């Protein structure tokens, strides 16, 4: 059984306490994770500046080369992870076993992380709008128009409280390393695999090990990272988002409430976009913030809901090794039963209809886990409570709403796919401050262009643009 130890700025730490990582279906241990408390984390963060200093010794162009090498190692090679040699197949089996994700989804998320890492130079070029990365290292430089610009790092390290539910989100902290910002990561208790393997790949590729801290532990370990780092990101619920709203030191990531809006000019041809809607709802077992939780149209909404239900309603539980498996397990059964109870409350409201009712039981309970099969509900008005809900399984509400009210009623939406050729509707959507990532046309909500910012630009989060003026010194001052 593999043992994963904390990493204290590149040095393995022998913990006194361990937690087991267990198989989601059998409950049997598959790994041991050494844990640390908030006190150890706090002591390490006192010397966090050394992580950035180690990275500043390596030119950014070399770090970008190391990123490309790390991507190849991460996706294709056997790496030292914990006290074991981990093959790619080992990684996929272990991640699936602890998270409940089907193995092909683990492989897909692995490829996504590798893609971002291997294309980091192009991604940073877009996110910085073509800025010479040496300016981020030095703090100032010539922009290319004879203008001095300055970007000041606001922190020597990025702290991150990582999630259990979706390995794809690890793409969000990867850009820190080529920008010479160290990492203090608290791995998810059920998904330590990606951060541990990624850090191993970085180090094997030549990135200084002193740039990395891995701190598995309880809430006190996470609390210490949040309290003692000048910039951190956290993944959690809507309550987590609300707790950190307005805090410039924290970038919170949570439910996406992503939506598809069908314009009046194309809604009569909605069948043309059925594949887009189904993929947006069902991909990655509906676990991601980029999955679609609401489809809005002014008419044909019952027919749309019925057609989606016909496609995803029959989806059933399959073994995680099955390449056709489309559902992930809830590793904590109470989360599934609690979620299903909330859905039942939504369905009790007048004007809300379960369009997947004919496709059998939705809650599948087992000894150590549970599943929720896909659900499609129809809401006859945006006033229905379910129109503002999102759940961590393939669940979507199809909402009837006049087009001229949609943008004022959809609420916060991480992804907004607006399918229309109506220029006035496109302009209105472009001005809508409730949509973070806007897609115009039939783009599934789950297909991201990584050359675009995601829930804020990480460059602007980690660096501050400031004034920087230089005047030549008088000759006598040089004597």
């Amino acid at each position: 059984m593999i043992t994963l130890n904390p990493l204290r700025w590149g040095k393995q730490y022998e913990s006194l306490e361990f937690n087991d990582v267990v198989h989601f279906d059998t409950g049997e241990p598959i790994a041991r994770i050494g844990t640390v408390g908030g006190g150890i984390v706090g002591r390490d963060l006192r010397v966090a500046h050394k992580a950035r200093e180690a990275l500043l010794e390596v030119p950014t162009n070399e770090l970008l080369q190391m990123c490309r090498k790390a991507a190849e190692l991460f996706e294709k090679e056997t790496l030292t992870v914990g006290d074991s040699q981990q093959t790619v197949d080992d990684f996929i089996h272990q991640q699936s076993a602890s998270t409940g994700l089907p193995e092909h989804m683990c492989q897909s998320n692995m490829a996504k992380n590798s893609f971002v890492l291997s294309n980091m130079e192009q991604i940073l070029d877009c996110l910085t709008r073509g800025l010479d990365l040496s300016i981020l290292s030095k703090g100032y430089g010539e922009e290319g128009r004879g203008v001095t610009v300055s970007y000041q790092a606001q922190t020597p390290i990025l702290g991150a409280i990582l999630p259990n539910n979706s390995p794809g989100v690890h793409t969000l902290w990867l850009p820190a390393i080529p920008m010479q910002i160290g990492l203090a990561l608290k791995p998810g208790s059920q998904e330590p695999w990606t951060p541990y393997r990624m850090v191993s790949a970085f180090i094997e590729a030549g990135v200084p090990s002193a740039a990395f801290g891995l701190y598995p532990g309880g809430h006190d370990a996470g609390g210490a990272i949040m309290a003692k780092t000048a910039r951190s990101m956290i993944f959690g619920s809507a309550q987590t988002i609300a707790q950190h709203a307005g805090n410039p030191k924290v970038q919170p990531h949570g439910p996406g409430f992503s939506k598809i809006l069908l314009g009046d000019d194309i809604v009569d041809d909605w069948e043309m976009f059925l594949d887009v809607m189904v993929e947006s709802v069902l991909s990655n077992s509906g676990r991601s913030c980029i999955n679609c939780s609401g489809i809005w149209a002014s008419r044909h909404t019952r027919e749309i809901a019925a057609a989606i239900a016909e496609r995803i309603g029959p989806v059933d539980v399959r073994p995680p090794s099955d390449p056709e498996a489309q559902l992930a397990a809830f590793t904590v059964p109470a989360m599934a039963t609690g979620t299903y109870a909330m859905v039942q409350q939504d369905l009790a409201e007048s004007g809300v209809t379960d369009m997947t009712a004919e496709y059998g039981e939705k809650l599948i309970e087992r000894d150590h886990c549970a599943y929720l099969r896909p659900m499609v509900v129809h809401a006859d008005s945006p006033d229905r409570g379910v129109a503002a809900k999102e759940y961590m399984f393939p669940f979507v509400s199809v909402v009837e709403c006049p087009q001229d009210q949609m943008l004022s009623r959809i609420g916060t939406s991480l992804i907004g796919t607006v399918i229309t050729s109506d220029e006035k509707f496109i302009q209105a959507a472009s001005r809508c401050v409730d949509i973070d990532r806007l897609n115009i046309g039939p783009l599934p909500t789950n297909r991201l262009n990584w050359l675009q910012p995601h829930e804020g630009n990480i460059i602007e989060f980690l660096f501050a643009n400031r004034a920087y003026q230089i005047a030549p010194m008088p000759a006598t001052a040089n004597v």
Side-chain angles (χ1 to χ4, degrees):
M1 183 170 63
I2 187 172
T3 298
L4 303 174
N5 287 312
L7 195 67
R8 302 179 65 184
W9 301 133
K11 296 179 180 179
Q12 295 273 341
Y13 174 70
E14 295 290 336
S15 297
L16 298 177
E17 297 183 2
F18 292 84
N19 290 333
D20 286 339
V21 181
V22 301
H23 192 287
F24 77 94
D25 200 18
T26 67
E28 300 208 358
I30 58 175
R32 292 195 319 153
I33 303 185
T35 62
V36 295
I40 286 177
V41 176
R43 285 195 291 275
D44 282 10
L45 293 182
R46 292 174 193 163
V47 293
H49 61 279
K50 294 183 179 180
R52 177 157 167 79
E53 289 169 3
L55 289 168
L56 285 170
E57 292 294 319
V58 186
T60 53
N61 64 317
E62 292 184 23
L63 286 172
L64 288 168
Q65 291 174 8
M66 293 173 186
C67 284
R68 289 190 287 273
K69 180 62 175 175
E72 182 180 348
L73 292 167
F74 176 77
E75 188 176 12
K76 298 179 181 178
E77 302 298 333
T78 297
L79 291 169
T80 300
V81 176
D83 64 352
S84 301
Q85 293 294 297
Q86 185 190 65
T87 67
V88 173
D89 285 344
D90 290 337
F91 171 82
I92 291 170
H93 296 326
Q94 289 161 343
Q95 188 179 78
S96 175
S98 64
T99 64
L101 275 172
E103 290 181 1
H104 72 90
M105 292 185 188
C106 295
Q107 191 164 20
S108 175
N109 281 305
M110 188 181 201
K112 181 192 300 184
N113 283 296
S114 177
F115 174 85
V116 168
L117 203 53
S118 62
N119 289 277
M120 189 60 72
E121 183 171 6
Q122 187 181 10
I123 290 170
L124 290 181
D125 184 60
C126 290
L127 293 182
T128 62
R129 302 173 184 89
L131 190 72
D132 184 341
L133 293 183
S134 67
I135 293 175
L136 300 182
S137 300
K138 191 177 180 181
Y140 70 96
E142 287 277 332
E143 189 180 25
R145 299 177 292 118
V147 177
T148 298
V149 294
S150 175
Y151 286 84
Q152 184 182 52
Q154 300 299 289
T155 179
I157 63 166
L158 172 65
I161 313 303
L162 301 176
N164 287 313
N165 63 319
S166 184
V169 302
H170 297 292
T171 53
L172 297 178
W173 53 263
L174 295 179
I177 292 300
M179 291 190 292
Q180 299 167 309
I181 302 291
L183 290 166
L185 308 176
K186 179 184 178 294
S189 58
Q190 294 164 347
E191 209 288 275
W193 311 108
T194 302
Y196 268 91
R197 184 173 176 85
M198 187 61 76
V199 168
S200 178
F202 270 129
I203 294 172
E204 181 70 20
V207 178
S209 61
F212 301 99
L214 286 166
Y215 298 102
H219 292 299
D220 59 330
I225 290 175
M226 296 290 291
K228 298 183 184 297
T229 55
R231 292 292 185 272
S232 60
M233 59 174 59
I234 186 170
F235 299 82
S237 64
Q239 289 74 24
T240 301
I241 301 296
Q243 179 183 351
H244 298 286
N247 185 346
K249 295 183 177 182
V250 179
Q251 190 181 80
H253 299 272
F257 302 102
S258 298
K259 298 177 182 71
I260 294 174
L261 311 184
L262 300 176
D264 284 350
D265 59 323
I266 58 86
V267 71
D268 293 337
D269 298 315
W270 60 266
E271 295 97 333
M272 295 174 58
F273 311 108
L274 183 58
D275 287 347
V276 170
M277 293 185 274
V278 169
E279 178 182 335
S280 299
V281 175
L282 189 57
S283 68
N284 205 44
S285 191
R287 281 195 170 193
S288 302
C289 56
I290 57 177
N291 281 115
C292 179
S293 59
I295 296 170
W296 292 50
S298 63
R299 56 187 181 271
H300 304 303
T301 48
R302 281 191 173 274
E303 296 97 315
I304 293 168
I308 298 171
E310 185 177 357
R311 291 277 295 274
I312 72 174
V315 172
D316 209 341
V317 176
R318 290 175 179 259
S321 58
D322 189 330
E324 298 299 319
Q326 293 177 292
L327 299 180
F330 283 78
T331 57
V332 179
M335 288 186 63
T337 55
T339 298
Y340 190 60
M342 289 189 284
V343 173
Q344 293 307 300
Q345 291 178 347
D346 294 334
L347 292 172
E349 185 179 6
S350 176
V352 178
T353 307
D354 179 5
M355 305 300 289
T356 41
E358 65 183 274
Y359 297 102
E361 292 296 323
K362 301 300 181 287
L363 177 63
I364 310 298
E365 296 182 90
R366 294 185 172 174
D367 290 342
H368 299 282
C369 67
Y371 289 85
L372 284 171
R373 295 179 56 231
M375 293 188 69
V376 181
V377 302
H378 178 264
D380 64 2
S381 163
D383 294 328
R384 308 303 170 218
V386 76
K389 298 294 180 66
E390 175 171 296
Y391 296 112
M392 206 176 73
F393 73 105
F395 176 94
V396 65
S397 55
V398 181
V399 182
E400 187 168 314
C401 178
Q403 178 180 293
D404 61 3
Q405 296 180 24
M406 287 182 189
L407 294 172
S408 63
R409 300 297 302 272
I410 57 173
T412 299
S413 303
L414 173 58
I415 317 286
T417 286
V418 180
I419 304 178
T420 185
S421 296
D422 180 344
E423 283 298 328
K424 288 186 177 179
F425 194 27
I426 291 171
Q427 282 191 359
S430 300
R431 295 169 182 155
C432 179
V433 297
D434 288 326
I435 299 175
D436 187 67
R437 298 186 70 123
L438 178 62
N439 299 331
I440 300 297
L443 288 167
T445 60
N446 60 297
R447 295 196 197 178
L448 300 186
N449 180 347
W450 290 106
L451 304 181
Q452 304 279 356
H454 184 79
E455 290 191 270
N457 189 326
I458 192 169
I459 313 296
E460 296 167 358
F461 181 58
L462 296 177
F463 293 85
N465 184 204
R466 61 172 180 170
Y468 200 104
Q469 295 176 261
I470 303 173
M473 292 295 291
T476 55
N478 294 323
V479 176

